[in-house]
Amino acid sequence: MKLLYRFHRWISAICALFFLLLCLTGLPLIFSGDIYRWNEVDERPSFGELSYQELWSGATAGLARIASEMPERDVDVISTDTERGVLLYSLTWQEENGTARRARVAYAPVQDELVPWRGTHVKSPALASFMGTMHNLHLKMSMGRSGMIFLTVMCFLSFLSIVGGILLYPFFMRQRLFGGTRGGMSAGNFFDWHNFLGMITAVWAGLMTLSGVAIAAYIIGHGSYRADVEAALPVDIHNQEPIAYEEMISYAADHFPTQRLLYLANVREDEPAVMTLTDEGHPSMFRGQEVYLIRTEEGLTHITQPMPRWLTLCDSLRTLHLYNHDTMPLKLIWAVLDMLTIVVIVSGFAGWFQRHRRKKEIPPVLTDGTRPITAMWSMPALFALLSIIGMTAPLSYAETGDSIGTVAWGCCLLLMIYLWQRGRR
């Protein structure tokens, strides 16, 4: 028990400040989509959801419209937005004074409409800058790749700290009332809150740290995967003639019929054209398989590698971090859980600090008698079950799942309030 306690204490001392940073920066990011939408001056055009196949079937018509209406502009990249039903064309051109310019336009194949894809015009630049800073700090401490790696290590240590706290629970709670708090500013009261709220938020915080590690590992791993594919490219590339976008779309349909096309980039004669496809085994992955196209005397050929399977696991965990709190009630509950986790971190530090001051302690709130191990774990197990339902239901059953998740989290918070009221001294 002493070894486990020291492990939990020193691991927490190492990572707690960085875990606190993740909680503080993550709090506004819970509402990032709502904040970005509110801050937009004009909403981006939306023409209704379309499949990838429906979008790419209209790519040629979109290129023809651009060539007709904007002949001086070159198309560098084509990507898709299936939710809004548009193809996005990145354009480049030079002004008369030689200044290079870039812009994007959206083409809706069904409506045959070519419209500007709005830039970064916002109501409050300060708010946009604040959200960008929060995202940068949350993902990589504004330190680039090295910051991301460092935060990933801290996130994993935070996960180990949470696991250590769960394992320590029975040693501290054999005769204590779950939810009992002594009051005052003593070390014991701070640790009462630390233990109580720590067990309530354990599943949420544990899954958030674990999925955070998975997200960072995915980003870093996908970068390494792309580097491996690029390393297999010939040193000297010379396309016999430019590779047209229409050829790339046809090539993807012929050689990768089971994969969806996400992105096309056409380049100069001395560089390969680039296609990004969904992963064959896991098409929902937000970063896909990289395929490089080269034109030789024999025709088009491609260079690629399948994505490593471990990236699939990382991508699956990503959904627990990002896609299970889309409704406002769930976002508000997540904000409460985030703040409760902050209280867990701060109360641990405060209890440690107060203990070293050796102030007189108030006796803990005890149960009526010695409890069996099953009774000791009954409340934490119930919170864990409700938390798992709250985290996973929104991923499985669409709107019904959001309702189930909201109810599960609501029961967690109501039960927490009841236990706190019961155990107040």
Side-chain angles (χ1 to χ4, degrees):
M1 185 267 192
K2 287 185 179 179
L3 183 62
L4 183 59
Y5 176 72
R6 288 174 182 170
F7 170 83
H8 175 71
R9 183 179 64 182
W10 288 110
I11 287 288
S12 300
I14 293 169
C15 67
L17 287 178
F18 299 99
F19 191 23
L20 182 61
L21 171 69
L22 292 173
C23 290
L24 291 172
T25 55
L27 190 55
L29 293 179
I30 294 172
F31 304 96
S32 60
D34 305 280
I35 293 172
Y36 289 137
R37 282 189 292 272
W38 176 86
N39 205 28
E40 286 180 344
V41 174
D42 298 308
E43 290 188 4
R44 292 183 175 180
S46 180
F47 298 89
E49 188 171 352
L50 290 178
S51 67
Y52 289 99
Q53 185 177 0
E54 290 172 315
L55 286 175
W56 288 113
S57 66
T60 301
L63 289 167
R65 286 284 302 274
I66 293 171
S68 173
E69 299 176 22
M70 294 171 276
E72 75 285 358
R73 303 188 181 188
D74 297 321
V75 178
D76 274 0
V77 171
I78 307 177
S79 57
T80 58
D81 189 328
T82 55
E83 290 185 1
R84 297 178 185 271
V86 294
L87 287 164
L88 303 177
Y89 296 82
S90 295
L91 309 178
T92 59
W93 72 97
Q94 281 193 338
E95 300 284 7
E96 292 182 359
N97 60 7
T99 304
R101 297 290 302 277
R102 300 185 67 89
R104 286 205 294 177
V105 295
Y107 177 70
V110 174
Q111 293 80 8
D112 190 30
E113 287 194 37
L114 188 66
V115 295
W117 188 252
R118 188 193 51 73
T120 55
H121 301 294
V122 294
K123 299 173 186 174
S124 171
L127 179 60
S129 176
F130 170 77
M131 293 302 294
T133 300
M134 291 299 100
H135 184 268
N136 223 348
L137 287 171
H138 191 74
L139 189 62
K140 47 193 174 185
M141 290 180 62
S142 298
M143 293 168 55
R145 180 184 173 92
S146 59
M148 181 182 295
I149 294 172
F150 178 77
L151 269 186
T152 302
V153 174
M154 292 298 105
C155 211
F156 182 67
L157 292 179
S158 299
F159 174 74
L160 294 180
S161 175
I162 293 167
V163 172
I166 294 172
L167 295 176
L168 280 171
Y169 169 79
F171 296 103
F172 287 100
M173 300 298 293
R174 281 176 181 161
Q175 293 184 316
R176 296 184 185 183
L177 181 67
F178 186 72
T181 53
R182 288 167 245 202
M185 299 293 291
S186 66
N189 185 56
F190 284 120
F191 283 129
D192 286 341
W193 281 107
H194 185 75
N195 296 335
F196 177 45
L197 296 182
M199 294 305 295
I200 290 172
T201 59
V203 169
W204 183 83
L207 289 177
M208 291 301 288
T209 53
L210 190 60
S211 58
V213 170
I215 290 172
Y218 184 93
I219 294 172
I220 296 168
H222 192 270
S224 299
Y225 157 74
R226 288 188 62 181
D228 290 342
V229 178
E230 291 172 2
L233 293 172
V235 176
D236 296 319
I237 297 174
H238 182 76
N239 293 309
Q240 296 297 313
E241 59 182 80
I243 302 173
Y245 284 110
E246 294 86 349
E247 288 183 280
M248 297 170 71
I249 295 169
S250 176
Y251 191 93
D254 292 340
H255 292 79
F256 304 94
T258 61
Q259 295 170 257
R260 298 168 184 163
L261 184 59
L262 302 175
Y263 170 97
L264 296 176
N266 207 347
V267 290
R268 300 184 300 273
E269 291 183 356
D270 58 347
E271 295 181 14
V274 182
M275 302 191 304
T276 302
L277 308 167
T278 57
D279 181 68
E280 188 170 15
H282 196 59
S284 64
M285 292 174 75
F286 81 109
R287 297 190 182 196
Q289 180 179 348
E290 297 293 312
V291 180
Y292 293 89
L293 289 179
I294 301 173
R295 190 189 299 280
T296 64
E297 294 179 355
E298 290 77 23
L300 280 181
T301 185
H302 70 270
I303 296 172
T304 188
Q305 294 179 15
M307 294 181 66
R309 288 299 93 198
W310 65 269
L311 289 179
T312 303
L313 174 61
C314 292
D315 188 74
S316 299
L317 290 173
R318 177 177 63 95
T319 59
L320 292 171
H321 205 95
L322 301 174
Y323 301 123
N324 51 358
H325 55 287
D326 291 335
T327 65
M328 186 52 66
L330 283 171
K331 290 176 183 179
L332 291 171
I333 290 171
W334 272 52
V336 172
L337 291 167
D338 190 292
M339 289 185 283
L340 291 177
T341 304
I342 291 172
V343 173
V344 173
I345 298 169
V346 173
S347 61
F349 272 119
W352 200 9
F353 175 75
Q354 290 290 75
R355 175 166 289 178
H356 284 284
R357 295 181 65 185
R358 301 186 180 279
K359 293 181 67 176
K360 185 177 180 180
E361 284 291 346
I362 303 172
V365 181
L366 303 177
T367 58
D368 295 334
T370 304
R371 296 176 297 168
I373 191 71
T374 53
M376 188 190 311
W377 282 102
S378 59
M379 281 295 107
L382 179 57
F383 278 107
L385 176 62
L386 291 171
S387 299
I388 291 171
I389 294 172
M391 291 290 278
T392 58
L395 299 173
S396 305
Y397 305 105
E399 293 181 4
T400 304
D402 290 334
S403 300
I404 294 172
T406 303
V407 170
W409 283 124
C411 290
C412 267
L413 297 181
L414 290 174
L415 183 57
M416 177 194 73
I417 294 171
Y418 164 76
L419 293 173
W420 168 61
Q421 290 287 348
R422 184 193 67 174
R424 289 178 65 187
R425 172 171 286 177

